[in-house]
Protein backbone atom coordinates (compact mmCIF):
# COMPACT_ATOMS: atom_id res chain seq x y z
CA UNK A 1 0.00 0.00 0.00
CA UNK A 2 1.51 3.36 -1.05
CA UNK A 3 1.98 6.01 1.65
CA UNK A 4 -0.47 8.87 2.03
CA UNK A 5 0.98 12.24 0.88
CA UNK A 6 2.50 14.00 3.86
CA UNK A 7 0.24 17.08 3.67
CA UNK A 8 -2.80 14.82 3.77
CA UNK A 9 -1.22 13.00 6.72
CA UNK A 10 -0.67 16.31 8.54
CA UNK A 11 -4.25 17.43 8.01
CA UNK A 12 -6.28 14.22 8.16
CA UNK A 13 -4.33 11.99 10.54
CA UNK A 14 -2.54 14.46 12.80
CA UNK A 15 -5.12 17.29 12.48
CA UNK A 16 -2.95 20.33 11.78
CA UNK A 17 -4.48 23.12 9.70
CA UNK A 18 -1.37 24.49 7.98
CA UNK A 19 0.62 21.32 7.65
CA UNK A 20 3.84 21.41 9.63
CA UNK A 21 3.28 23.69 12.65
CA UNK A 22 6.97 24.37 13.26
CA UNK A 23 9.28 26.86 11.49
CA UNK A 24 11.41 25.37 8.72
CA UNK A 25 14.36 27.73 8.51
CA UNK A 26 13.32 29.63 11.58
CA UNK A 27 14.50 33.14 10.67
CA UNK A 28 12.64 35.48 13.03
CA UNK A 29 10.56 37.50 10.60
CA UNK A 30 9.00 39.95 13.04
CA UNK A 31 5.86 41.35 11.47
CA UNK A 32 5.29 38.35 9.20
CA UNK A 33 1.75 36.99 8.88
CA UNK A 34 3.07 33.44 9.42
CA UNK A 35 2.77 32.62 13.11
CA UNK A 36 5.36 29.89 12.73
CA UNK A 37 7.98 32.50 11.92
CA UNK A 38 6.93 35.85 13.41
CA UNK A 39 7.67 35.21 17.08
CA UNK A 40 4.14 35.97 18.28
CA UNK A 41 3.81 32.47 19.73
CA UNK A 42 6.48 33.35 22.27
CA UNK A 43 5.32 32.39 25.72
CA UNK A 44 6.96 33.79 28.88
CA UNK A 45 6.36 30.43 30.57
CA UNK A 46 9.29 28.94 28.65
CA UNK A 47 11.89 31.14 30.38
CA UNK A 48 9.96 33.03 33.05
CA UNK A 49 13.09 34.01 34.98
CA UNK A 50 14.55 35.82 31.95
CA UNK A 51 11.27 37.59 31.24
CA UNK A 52 11.10 38.80 34.83
CA UNK A 53 14.74 39.89 34.74
CA UNK A 54 14.20 41.84 31.50
CA UNK A 55 11.16 43.60 32.96
CA UNK A 56 12.95 44.45 36.20
CA UNK A 57 16.13 45.74 34.55
CA UNK A 58 14.84 47.32 31.35
CA UNK A 59 11.27 48.44 32.04
CA UNK A 60 11.59 49.45 35.70
CA UNK A 61 15.14 50.63 35.07
CA UNK A 62 13.88 53.06 32.43
CA UNK A 63 11.08 54.30 34.68
CA UNK A 64 12.95 54.61 37.97
CA UNK A 65 16.73 54.40 37.48
CA UNK A 66 17.35 56.57 34.44
CA UNK A 67 18.52 53.60 32.35
CA UNK A 68 19.63 54.85 28.93
CA UNK A 69 21.13 51.68 27.46
CA UNK A 70 20.29 48.07 28.23
CA UNK A 71 21.89 45.03 26.65
CA UNK A 72 20.21 41.71 25.87
CA UNK A 73 23.03 39.19 25.47
CA UNK A 74 23.54 35.63 24.31
CA UNK A 75 26.91 33.94 24.57
CA UNK A 76 26.49 30.52 22.99
CA UNK A 77 27.25 27.10 24.42
CA UNK A 78 30.40 25.04 24.24
CA UNK A 79 33.86 26.15 23.15
CA UNK A 80 32.70 27.33 19.73
CA UNK A 81 28.99 27.55 20.41
CA UNK A 82 26.78 29.63 18.14
CA UNK A 83 25.56 32.67 20.09
CA UNK A 84 22.38 32.93 18.03
CA UNK A 85 19.10 31.18 18.59
CA UNK A 86 18.35 31.96 22.24
CA UNK A 87 15.24 34.07 21.75
CA UNK A 88 16.49 37.66 21.97
CA UNK A 89 14.39 39.00 19.09
CA UNK A 90 11.13 37.49 20.25
CA UNK A 91 11.72 38.54 23.85
CA UNK A 92 12.16 42.13 22.67
CA UNK A 93 8.94 41.87 20.69
CA UNK A 94 7.14 40.44 23.72
CA UNK A 95 8.33 43.30 25.95
CA UNK A 96 7.15 45.88 23.43
CA UNK A 97 3.70 44.27 23.18
CA UNK A 98 3.42 43.85 26.95
CA UNK A 99 4.20 47.53 27.54
CA UNK A 100 1.99 48.90 24.78
CA UNK A 101 -1.04 46.82 25.78
CA UNK A 102 -1.71 49.01 28.81
CA UNK A 103 1.17 51.53 28.83
CA UNK A 104 3.31 49.31 31.03
CA UNK A 105 0.77 48.63 33.75
CA UNK A 106 0.97 44.82 33.43
CA UNK A 107 4.77 44.89 33.56
CA UNK A 108 4.70 46.99 36.74
CA UNK A 109 2.18 44.71 38.40
CA UNK A 110 4.14 41.57 37.43
CA UNK A 111 7.17 43.04 39.20
CA UNK A 112 5.26 43.49 42.45
CA UNK A 113 4.42 47.19 42.18
CA UNK A 114 0.85 48.42 42.41
CA UNK A 115 -1.55 50.17 40.08
CA UNK A 116 -0.68 53.58 41.53
CA UNK A 117 2.96 53.09 40.54
CA UNK A 118 1.91 52.12 37.03
CA UNK A 119 -0.37 55.15 36.73
CA UNK A 120 2.47 57.48 37.74
CA UNK A 121 4.88 56.05 35.15
CA UNK A 122 3.02 55.24 31.92
CA UNK A 123 5.31 53.92 29.20
CA UNK A 124 5.20 52.91 25.59
CA UNK A 125 7.69 51.04 23.41
CA UNK A 126 8.77 50.80 19.79
CA UNK A 127 10.70 48.12 17.93
CA UNK A 128 13.22 48.52 15.13
CA UNK A 129 16.07 46.57 13.64
CA UNK A 130 19.28 47.17 11.78
CA UNK A 131 19.27 45.20 8.55
CA UNK A 132 21.29 45.06 5.38
CA UNK A 133 18.35 46.01 3.14
CA UNK A 134 16.59 49.04 4.66
CA UNK A 135 18.11 50.16 7.95
CA UNK A 136 21.89 50.36 7.93
CA UNK A 137 22.05 53.74 9.65
CA UNK A 138 20.74 55.03 12.96
CA UNK A 139 18.45 57.49 11.18
CA UNK A 140 16.88 54.65 9.22
CA UNK A 141 16.41 52.63 12.42
CA UNK A 142 14.75 55.62 14.10
CA UNK A 143 12.43 55.90 11.11
CA UNK A 144 11.49 52.21 11.37
CA UNK A 145 10.74 52.74 15.07
CA UNK A 146 8.35 55.59 14.24
CA UNK A 147 6.80 53.55 11.44
CA UNK A 148 6.36 50.60 13.84
CA UNK A 149 4.31 52.86 16.11
CA UNK A 150 2.02 53.79 13.22
CA UNK A 151 1.70 50.43 11.48
CA UNK A 152 2.19 47.38 13.67
CA UNK A 153 -0.56 45.49 15.49
CA UNK A 154 -0.43 41.95 16.84
CA UNK A 155 -3.93 41.13 15.64
CA UNK A 156 -6.02 42.65 12.87
CA UNK A 157 -8.37 45.28 14.22
CA UNK A 158 -6.28 46.19 17.25
CA UNK A 159 -5.19 49.85 17.54
CA UNK A 160 -1.59 50.75 16.85
CA UNK A 161 0.63 52.38 19.46
CA UNK A 162 0.07 55.74 17.75
CA UNK A 163 -3.70 55.28 17.91
CA UNK A 164 -3.54 54.40 21.61
CA UNK A 165 -1.42 57.48 22.31
CA UNK A 166 -3.78 59.73 20.35
CA UNK A 167 -6.65 58.48 22.51
CA UNK A 168 -4.65 59.17 25.66
CA UNK A 169 -3.77 62.66 24.42
CA UNK A 170 -7.42 63.30 23.60
CA UNK A 171 -8.40 62.38 27.17
CA UNK A 172 -5.72 64.64 28.62
CA UNK A 173 -6.52 67.64 26.42
CA UNK A 174 -10.28 67.14 26.75
CA UNK A 175 -10.81 67.51 23.02
CA UNK A 176 -10.83 65.28 19.96
CA UNK A 177 -10.16 68.14 17.54
CA UNK A 178 -6.93 67.50 15.57
CA UNK A 179 -5.94 71.18 15.86
CA UNK A 180 -6.15 71.01 19.66
CA UNK A 181 -4.04 67.86 19.78
CA UNK A 182 -1.52 69.38 17.38
CA UNK A 183 -1.25 72.49 19.55
CA UNK A 184 -0.62 70.36 22.65
CA UNK A 185 2.24 68.53 20.92
CA UNK A 186 3.69 71.78 19.60
CA UNK A 187 3.66 73.22 23.11
CA UNK A 188 5.97 70.37 24.17
CA UNK A 189 8.33 71.42 21.37
CA UNK A 190 8.22 75.05 22.56
CA UNK A 191 8.93 74.04 26.17
CA UNK A 192 12.02 71.97 25.32
CA UNK A 193 15.39 73.13 26.57
CA UNK A 194 18.84 72.29 25.33
CA UNK A 195 19.79 70.91 21.94
CA UNK A 196 17.03 69.68 19.67
CA UNK A 197 16.71 68.43 16.13
CA UNK A 198 14.73 71.50 15.20
CA UNK A 199 11.04 71.71 14.35
CA UNK A 200 8.96 68.52 14.04
CA UNK A 201 7.84 67.02 10.74
CA UNK A 202 4.58 68.98 10.55
CA UNK A 203 2.73 66.77 8.05
CA UNK A 204 3.56 63.67 10.09
CA UNK A 205 2.43 65.31 13.33
CA UNK A 206 -0.87 66.47 11.85
CA UNK A 207 -1.57 62.96 10.59
CA UNK A 208 -0.79 61.56 14.04
CA UNK A 209 -3.41 63.92 15.46
CA UNK A 210 -6.18 62.82 13.09
CA UNK A 211 -8.73 60.33 14.38
CA UNK A 212 -8.61 58.18 11.25
CA UNK A 213 -5.06 56.90 10.84
CA UNK A 214 -5.56 55.41 7.36
CA UNK A 215 -3.79 58.33 5.70
CA UNK A 216 -1.01 58.18 8.30
CA UNK A 217 -0.28 54.54 7.48
CA UNK A 218 -0.03 55.36 3.80
CA UNK A 219 2.23 58.32 4.56
CA UNK A 220 4.82 56.36 6.57
CA UNK A 221 4.92 53.65 3.92
CA UNK A 222 5.44 56.22 1.17
CA UNK A 223 8.45 58.11 2.59
CA UNK A 224 11.40 57.56 0.27
CA UNK A 225 14.46 55.57 1.41
CA UNK A 226 16.61 58.67 1.04
CA UNK A 227 14.38 60.71 3.33
CA UNK A 228 14.27 57.88 5.84
CA UNK A 229 18.06 57.85 6.12
CA UNK A 230 18.25 61.65 6.38
CA UNK A 231 15.24 62.50 8.54
CA UNK A 232 14.47 59.36 10.51
CA UNK A 233 15.45 60.94 13.82
CA UNK A 234 13.09 63.87 13.13
CA UNK A 235 10.20 61.45 12.56
CA UNK A 236 10.89 59.67 15.83
CA UNK A 237 11.29 62.99 17.67
CA UNK A 238 7.95 64.14 16.25
CA UNK A 239 6.27 60.97 17.53
CA UNK A 240 7.88 61.57 20.94
CA UNK A 241 6.42 65.09 21.13
CA UNK A 242 2.92 63.68 20.82
CA UNK A 243 3.78 60.93 23.30
CA UNK A 244 5.01 63.40 25.91
CA UNK A 245 1.98 65.63 25.35
CA UNK A 246 -0.15 62.59 26.21
CA UNK A 247 1.58 62.31 29.59
CA UNK A 248 4.04 59.52 28.71
CA UNK A 249 7.60 60.40 29.68
CA UNK A 250 9.36 57.07 29.10
CA UNK A 251 9.69 55.27 25.77
CA UNK A 252 11.59 52.01 25.32
CA UNK A 253 13.37 51.73 21.97
CA UNK A 254 14.11 48.05 21.39
CA UNK A 255 16.78 47.74 18.70
CA UNK A 256 17.50 44.34 17.18
CA UNK A 257 20.23 42.89 14.96
CA UNK A 258 23.10 45.13 15.97
CA UNK A 259 25.38 42.63 14.21
CA UNK A 260 24.11 43.89 10.84
CA UNK A 261 25.25 47.38 11.79
CA UNK A 262 28.59 45.84 12.72
CA UNK A 263 28.86 43.76 9.53
CA UNK A 264 32.12 43.81 7.62
CA UNK A 265 30.27 45.22 4.59
CA UNK A 266 29.64 48.39 6.60
CA UNK A 267 32.75 50.56 6.42
CA UNK A 268 34.68 51.33 9.57
CA UNK A 269 34.15 55.05 9.01
CA UNK A 270 30.37 54.61 8.81
CA UNK A 271 30.34 52.43 11.92
CA UNK A 272 32.34 55.07 13.78
CA UNK A 273 29.99 57.88 12.75
CA UNK A 274 26.85 55.90 13.58
CA UNK A 275 28.22 54.84 16.97
CA UNK A 276 28.93 58.47 17.85
CA UNK A 277 25.37 59.32 16.80
CA UNK A 278 24.09 56.91 19.41
CA UNK A 279 25.51 59.25 22.02
CA UNK A 280 24.20 62.43 20.36
CA UNK A 281 20.67 61.17 19.81
CA UNK A 282 20.03 58.95 22.82
CA UNK A 283 21.89 60.93 25.48
CA UNK A 284 22.03 64.56 24.40
CA UNK A 285 19.43 65.69 21.85
CA UNK A 286 15.84 66.41 22.91
CA UNK A 287 13.26 64.97 23.17
CA UNK A 288 15.14 61.64 22.82
CA UNK A 289 17.63 62.43 25.55
CA UNK A 290 14.92 62.79 28.20
CA UNK A 291 12.51 60.13 26.97
CA UNK A 292 14.29 57.22 25.27
CA UNK A 293 15.84 54.14 26.82
CA UNK A 294 17.54 51.99 24.20
CA UNK A 295 17.67 48.19 24.55
CA UNK A 296 19.95 46.47 22.04
CA UNK A 297 20.69 42.82 21.35
CA UNK A 298 24.32 41.81 21.76
CA UNK A 299 26.49 38.80 21.06
CA UNK A 300 30.24 38.31 20.59
CA UNK A 301 30.21 38.80 16.82
CA UNK A 302 28.73 42.31 17.13
CA UNK A 303 31.07 43.41 19.90
CA UNK A 304 34.18 42.48 17.92
CA UNK A 305 33.27 45.02 15.24
CA UNK A 306 32.15 47.98 17.36
CA UNK A 307 33.92 47.52 20.71
CA UNK A 308 36.59 50.21 20.28
CA UNK A 309 34.13 52.65 18.70
CA UNK A 310 31.61 52.13 21.51
CA UNK A 311 34.25 52.91 24.13
CA UNK A 312 35.61 55.95 22.26
CA UNK A 313 32.07 57.35 22.04
CA UNK A 314 31.89 56.98 25.84
CA UNK A 315 28.64 55.00 25.66
CA UNK A 316 27.55 52.91 28.67
CA UNK A 317 29.55 49.70 28.80
CA UNK A 318 27.92 46.55 27.46
CA UNK A 319 30.47 44.14 28.98
CA UNK A 320 28.40 41.28 30.35
CA UNK A 321 31.00 40.13 32.89
CA UNK A 322 31.50 43.43 34.73
CA UNK A 323 29.80 43.65 38.09
CA UNK A 324 28.92 47.34 37.62
CA UNK A 325 26.92 46.47 34.49
CA UNK A 326 24.59 43.95 36.11
CA UNK A 327 21.72 46.43 36.23
CA UNK A 328 21.70 46.86 32.44
CA UNK A 329 22.63 43.38 31.16
CA UNK A 330 20.38 40.34 30.68
CA UNK A 331 22.01 37.17 29.36
CA UNK A 332 19.76 34.68 27.60
CA UNK A 333 20.44 31.08 28.57
CA UNK A 334 19.56 27.67 27.10
CA UNK A 335 16.39 26.03 28.36
CA UNK A 336 17.14 24.26 31.59
CA UNK A 337 14.81 21.28 31.55
CA UNK A 338 12.69 19.08 29.28
CA UNK A 339 9.63 20.68 30.91
CA UNK A 340 10.54 24.02 29.35
CA UNK A 341 11.02 22.29 25.99
CA UNK A 342 7.57 20.74 26.35
CA UNK A 343 6.05 24.18 27.06
CA UNK A 344 7.69 25.63 23.95
CA UNK A 345 6.63 22.83 21.60
CA UNK A 346 3.17 22.62 23.13
CA UNK A 347 2.55 26.27 22.23
CA UNK A 348 2.97 25.53 18.51
CA UNK A 349 1.02 22.28 18.61
CA UNK A 350 -1.95 23.88 20.37
CA UNK A 351 -2.06 26.92 18.09
CA UNK A 352 -2.13 24.97 14.82
CA UNK A 353 -4.14 21.91 15.86
CA UNK A 354 -7.59 21.73 14.22
CA UNK A 355 -9.13 19.37 16.74
CA UNK A 356 -8.51 18.07 20.25
CA UNK A 357 -5.49 15.85 20.83
CA UNK A 358 -6.13 12.20 21.69
CA UNK A 359 -6.97 11.63 25.33
CA UNK A 360 -3.90 11.89 27.60
CA UNK A 361 -1.73 12.72 24.56
CA UNK A 362 -1.51 16.52 24.61
CA UNK A 363 1.81 16.39 22.73
CA UNK A 364 0.45 14.21 19.93
CA UNK A 365 1.99 13.24 17.55
CA UNK A 366 5.06 13.52 19.79
CA UNK A 367 5.59 11.39 22.85
CA UNK A 368 7.14 12.88 25.98
CA UNK A 369 10.35 10.80 25.62
CA UNK A 370 10.67 12.14 22.05
CA UNK A 371 10.59 15.75 23.33
CA UNK A 372 13.20 14.85 25.93
CA UNK A 373 15.41 13.43 23.16
CA UNK A 374 15.00 16.64 21.12
CA UNK A 375 15.91 18.71 24.18
CA UNK A 376 19.13 16.78 24.77
CA UNK A 377 20.16 17.08 21.11
CA UNK A 378 19.46 20.82 20.88
CA UNK A 379 21.68 22.09 23.70
CA UNK A 380 18.51 23.64 25.06
CA UNK A 381 18.32 26.32 22.34
CA UNK A 382 14.74 27.33 21.51
CA UNK A 383 15.71 27.84 17.87
CA UNK A 384 17.11 24.36 17.47
CA UNK A 385 14.32 22.68 19.38
CA UNK A 386 11.81 24.15 16.93
CA UNK A 387 13.83 23.32 13.86
CA UNK A 388 14.39 19.74 14.93
CA UNK A 389 10.68 19.42 15.68
CA UNK A 390 10.05 20.61 12.11
CA UNK A 391 12.41 17.99 10.67
CA UNK A 392 10.75 15.21 12.67
CA UNK A 393 7.31 16.37 11.61
CA UNK A 394 8.39 16.27 7.96
CA UNK A 395 9.86 12.79 8.30
CA UNK A 396 6.82 11.50 10.15
CA UNK A 397 4.50 12.85 7.49
CA UNK A 398 6.56 11.39 4.66
CA UNK A 399 6.64 7.95 6.28
CA UNK A 400 3.12 8.10 7.76
CA UNK A 401 4.17 7.56 11.36
CA UNK A 402 1.33 7.21 13.85
CA UNK A 403 3.48 8.91 16.49
CA UNK A 404 6.89 10.55 16.70
CA UNK A 405 8.43 8.44 19.42
CA UNK A 406 11.79 8.40 21.15
CA UNK A 407 13.33 5.69 18.96
CA UNK A 408 12.46 7.44 15.69
CA UNK A 409 13.57 10.80 17.11
CA UNK A 410 16.98 9.51 18.16
CA UNK A 411 17.53 7.72 14.86
CA UNK A 412 16.69 10.77 12.75
CA UNK A 413 18.43 13.44 14.81
CA UNK A 414 21.57 11.42 15.34
CA UNK A 415 21.81 10.94 11.59
CA UNK A 416 22.20 14.74 11.27
CA UNK A 417 25.20 14.95 13.57
CA UNK A 418 27.75 13.67 11.08
CA UNK A 419 26.62 16.16 8.43
CA UNK A 420 26.78 19.06 10.88
CA UNK A 421 30.20 18.12 12.16
CA UNK A 422 31.69 17.96 8.64
CA UNK A 423 31.83 21.76 8.56
CA UNK A 424 33.26 22.02 12.08
CA UNK A 425 36.88 22.46 13.00
CA UNK A 426 38.07 18.88 13.22
CA UNK A 427 40.88 19.92 15.56
CA UNK A 428 38.43 21.28 18.09
CA UNK A 429 37.72 19.04 21.08
CA UNK A 430 34.12 20.24 21.05
CA UNK A 431 31.74 19.34 18.22
CA UNK A 432 28.45 21.14 17.79
CA UNK A 433 25.20 19.38 18.51
CA UNK A 434 23.32 21.67 16.14
CA UNK A 435 23.70 23.37 12.80
CA UNK A 436 24.84 27.01 12.71
CA UNK A 437 22.43 28.26 10.03
CA UNK A 438 20.42 31.44 10.65
CA UNK A 439 16.98 30.65 11.95
CA UNK A 440 14.15 31.53 14.29
CA UNK A 441 14.88 32.96 17.72
CA UNK A 442 18.05 34.54 16.39
CA UNK A 443 18.68 38.25 16.55
Amino acid sequence: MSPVPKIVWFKKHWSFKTGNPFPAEGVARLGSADFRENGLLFTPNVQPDKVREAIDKFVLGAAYSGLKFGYLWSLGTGLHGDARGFGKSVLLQYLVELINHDFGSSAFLQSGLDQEDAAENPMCAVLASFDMANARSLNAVFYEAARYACRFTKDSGEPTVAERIRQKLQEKVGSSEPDDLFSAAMQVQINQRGRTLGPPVEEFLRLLCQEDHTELKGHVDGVTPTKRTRSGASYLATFLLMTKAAGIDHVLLCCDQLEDFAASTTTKQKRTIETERFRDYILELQPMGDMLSCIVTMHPRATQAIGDMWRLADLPSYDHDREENRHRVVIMQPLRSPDEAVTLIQQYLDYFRTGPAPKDQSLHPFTLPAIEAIFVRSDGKPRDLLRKANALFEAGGEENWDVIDEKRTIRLLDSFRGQEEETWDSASPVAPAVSTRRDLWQE
Side-chain angles (χ1 to χ4, degrees):
M1 180 176 173
S2 60
V4 174
K6 70 176 180 182
I7 301 302
V8 176
W9 194 261
F10 292 157
K11 288 180 170 285
K12 302 297 185 183
H13 293 266
W14 284 350
S15 300
F16 286 90
K17 57 187 174 185
T18 59
N20 194 322
F22 298 101
E25 294 302 322
V27 176
R29 301 201 305 268
L30 304 185
S32 168
D34 188 343
F35 273 70
R36 290 171 294 192
E37 304 279 2
N38 63 19
L40 292 177
L41 294 184
F42 173 86
T43 170
N45 296 328
V46 173
Q47 291 182 295
D49 56 331
K50 289 301 170 184
V51 174
R52 284 194 300 270
E53 185 181 359
I55 291 173
D56 291 346
K57 291 183 177 180
F58 299 153
V59 180
L60 300 191
Y64 289 101
S65 302
L67 179 79
K68 297 306 295 180
F69 279 88
Y71 306 105
L72 185 59
W73 268 93
S74 62
L75 299 174
T77 55
L79 185 61
H80 296 286
D82 186 2
R84 300 169 296 179
F86 288 85
K88 298 191 296 296
S89 296
V90 293
L91 176 55
L92 280 186
Q93 180 172 253
Y94 173 78
L95 282 179
V96 171
E97 293 165 1
L98 178 68
I99 292 168
N100 289 336
H101 174 68
D102 52 15
F103 297 112
S105 179
S106 295
F108 278 66
L109 296 177
Q110 285 182 30
S111 295
L113 297 174
D114 55 33
Q115 191 61 54
E116 183 179 353
D117 296 311
E120 290 177 349
N121 293 279
M123 301 180 67
C124 71
V126 288
L127 180 64
S129 175
F130 284 99
D131 64 63
M132 301 307 292
N134 299 309
R136 299 179 65 177
S137 69
L138 198 55
N139 253 306
V141 169
F142 283 156
Y143 183 82
E144 289 304 315
R147 181 175 177 271
Y148 174 94
C150 301
R151 294 286 292 151
F152 184 81
T153 58
K154 181 176 180 180
D155 297 309
S156 176
E158 285 192 357
T160 63
V161 185
E163 288 172 310
R164 293 177 190 270
I165 291 173
R166 185 198 180 279
Q167 178 63 35
K168 195 170 182 66
L169 177 58
Q170 177 180 317
E171 294 168 359
K172 184 175 182 182
V173 173
S175 170
S176 61
E177 289 297 321
D179 286 347
D180 294 338
L181 305 184
F182 179 83
S183 295
M186 287 302 296
Q187 190 60 48
V188 174
Q189 169 72 12
I190 293 169
N191 292 342
Q192 287 185 127
R193 297 181 179 182
R195 296 168 57 204
T196 72
L197 286 168
V201 183
E202 183 172 337
E203 181 185 6
F204 180 51
L205 182 56
R206 289 196 178 278
L207 291 172
L208 283 168
C209 293
Q210 290 182 6
E211 185 171 3
D212 184 354
H213 276 194
T214 302
E215 190 176 350
L216 171 67
K217 294 173 182 178
H219 172 77
V220 295
D221 285 344
V223 174
T224 65
T226 299
K227 190 171 184 179
R228 295 182 187 197
T229 57
R230 290 179 179 174
S231 305
S234 295
Y235 272 85
L236 181 58
T238 300
F239 169 73
L240 293 179
L241 293 178
M242 181 176 179
T243 302
K244 190 172 184 65
I248 300 171
D249 293 332
H250 304 293
V251 178
L252 215 62
L253 169 62
C254 294
C255 189
D256 197 16
Q257 289 188 209
L258 191 63
E259 77 278 4
D260 276 5
F261 165 54
S264 58
T265 52
T266 303
T267 66
K268 183 177 180 180
Q269 181 182 17
K270 183 176 179 59
R271 278 180 275 153
T272 300
I273 292 171
E274 294 300 317
T275 303
E276 290 172 349
R277 283 178 175 164
F278 259 119
R279 161 163 285 283
D280 290 340
Y281 288 132
I282 305 296
L283 299 181
E284 297 179 2
L285 289 173
Q286 300 299 343
M288 285 88 86
D290 280 348
M291 297 181 67
L292 280 186
S293 297
C294 186
I295 312 302
V296 298
T297 55
M298 299 293 291
H299 63 74
R301 173 185 160 196
T303 62
Q304 290 170 4
I306 64 170
D308 291 340
M309 302 166 193
W310 202 266
R311 285 186 289 272
L312 288 172
D314 197 26
L315 288 163
S317 170
Y318 54 68
D319 291 342
H320 59 82
D321 55 355
R322 292 173 59 174
E323 184 68 22
E324 62 267 32
N325 288 342
R326 287 183 60 186
H327 68 286
R328 56 173 163 250
V329 170
V330 174
I331 303 175
M332 298 297 288
Q333 301 289 348
L335 304 189
R336 296 172 300 182
S337 70
D339 288 344
E340 292 180 337
V342 167
T343 301
L344 175 60
I345 288 178
Q346 185 89 63
Q347 182 83 342
Y348 284 78
L349 294 174
D350 290 347
Y351 183 83
F352 289 103
R353 203 187 299 277
T354 57
K359 186 177 180 180
D360 299 325
Q361 298 181 51
S362 63
L363 292 169
H364 181 79
F366 292 96
T367 65
L368 179 58
I371 303 297
E372 293 170 344
I374 297 173
F375 171 74
V376 169
R377 287 157 178 78
S378 300
D379 282 355
K381 282 188 183 181
R383 170 195 70 180
D384 297 323
L385 280 157
L386 293 172
R387 194 174 66 195
K388 284 174 166 52
N390 173 281
L392 285 159
F393 223 83
E394 289 291 317
E398 291 279 2
E399 299 180 22
N400 293 176
W401 297 344
D402 289 331
V403 295
I404 303 173
D405 58 21
E406 181 183 27
K407 182 177 180 180
R408 287 165 169 156
T409 296
I410 292 173
R411 184 180 71 242
L412 181 70
L413 297 187
D414 286 358
S415 71
F416 294 160
R417 292 177 67 92
Q419 301 171 22
E420 292 165 347
E421 291 168 8
E422 285 178 2
T423 59
W424 202 248
D425 180 3
S426 60
S428 170
V430 178
V434 295
S435 169
T436 58
R437 292 183 300 169
R438 289 172 56 90
D439 41 23
L440 183 66
W441 306 78
Q442 89 164 45
E443 310 63 39

